[in-house]
Amino acid sequence: GKGRPAMPHTVTSEHMLPRSHMRALVTPEGISPVILVPASSPLLHYSGRFVGHGSARRFDWPGFVILFRSSTTSASILLNETRTNRYAVLLSGPDNLTRYRRHREILTSAGRKTAWGHYGSYELFSGLSAEPRGVMVLKLTEACGARPPCDWCPSFGAAIFGGLIFDEGSDLSEAALPWREGRRLAFYGDSITVGWGVRGGGDDRACDDGEDHSAAWGVVLSRMLEAEFHSVAWSGIGVLLNDAADSPQNRTMPQMARSVLGGVPGAGDVLPASWRPSALLVHLGTNDFTPGHEMSVASFAAAYVELLLNLTAEADSRRPASK
């Protein structure tokens, strides 16, 4: 099936932070109470690598996805950003809850303080009809930009998802998933897999609105095959040699492949045992053979084969996902 049926639930204290975290939202019409659904709610679905951060979730790889279903007429997301990232907001309608269409894009910024502390509040949608819809938030930009940031793109970085803001009395339920059960693809690559410059505009724009992971080849393929995907991709990275990747400690893909957070070495490099990909797709080598690199085909081939064997063995060691 394309997704488990989900029964709606009224958002209750079980799925909220303590009342001390509730706020009154000031609008032109007056004061409207709002509720916060924390990132730890069991009704939220995640796809991609992340680590727990208290009740929040920290992530940085491109393609990280947050999914939920609600009939709320407006919703916002709380994000604590180390730098700047872009996200696509996709919605599915009541006629087909597994078919998500792009609604808007949001641009985040670091150091933004609001009534929610260090979390910036970003609108996902507003003024919609009160009917069930699926909501997907997808990270479009890559991991580069922790400490220190990449010289070639100081904008991007890790983010912490704190929760969702709904109107009081809104419902929340598990999302209908847009992929077939058990169909999973894992991508490992460089800027080609990231989607660097996929929107065009030259290098001066590629680091800003030119990069769009949702239009990269792996994500497009995943949509065609109705498959869930995890992306481990970093611009400039190679198998043996990088090309100005500015990865932490100049790590190459064999050293990065198991990283839960690409820009934060050692932030829990233990992957979920239950997420076993149906296929591994690796697209690397462009940066190893950058002009000026002394790289033999034999050395590269041997390292590539070793990487493939290690990725395959690691994937095979995971338990099959429960049905």
Side-chain angles (χ1 to χ4, degrees), residues 55-137:
S55 63
R57 300 289 183 265
R58 189 181 188 192
F59 59 93
D60 67 357
W61 289 114
F64 180 77
V65 166
I66 304 165
L67 278 162
F68 63 93
R69 187 196 304 192
S70 178
S71 60
T72 185
T73 60
S74 65
S76 297
I77 187 170
L78 295 176
L79 293 167
N80 184 346
E81 298 278 358
T82 57
R83 298 194 183 278
T84 296
N85 285 298
R86 286 184 295 103
Y87 301 82
V89 180
L90 300 93
L91 305 179
S92 66
D95 55 327
N96 188 342
L97 287 168
T98 64
R99 186 176 183 182
Y100 290 79
R101 299 175 182 271
R102 187 176 292 216
H103 174 68
R104 64 171 304 185
E105 197 170 290
I106 57 177
L107 176 69
T108 62
S109 59
R112 191 169 177 178
K113 293 185 179 181
T114 66
W116 305 96
H118 290 280
Y119 287 93
S121 175
Y122 303 92
E123 182 181 282
L124 298 178
F125 56 85
S126 64
L128 300 184
S129 57
E131 56 184 8
R133 65 180 53 84
V135 183
M136 176 190 297
V137 182

Side-chain angles (χ1 to χ4, degrees), residues 186-266:
F187 297 96
Y188 297 84
D190 51 30
S191 59
I192 298 171
T193 302
V194 166
W196 165 269
V198 72
R199 291 180 174 179
D203 286 347
D204 60 330
R205 291 182 65 251
C207 183
D208 297 315
D209 58 343
E211 182 169 298
D212 184 348
H213 190 61
S214 71
W217 68 274
V219 183
V220 173
L221 177 63
S222 299
R223 283 198 298 266
M224 293 173 62
L225 298 178
E226 296 180 297
E228 182 182 10
F229 68 90
H230 283 190
S231 296
V232 178
W234 187 291
S235 292
I237 204 164
V239 178
L240 287 174
L241 294 175
N242 296 333
D243 179 25
D246 291 329
S247 59
Q249 300 157 6
N250 200 34
R251 295 188 299 170
T252 56
M253 182 56 75
Q255 299 163 313
M256 293 272 279
R258 286 181 52 82
S259 297
V260 179
L261 298 179
V264 187

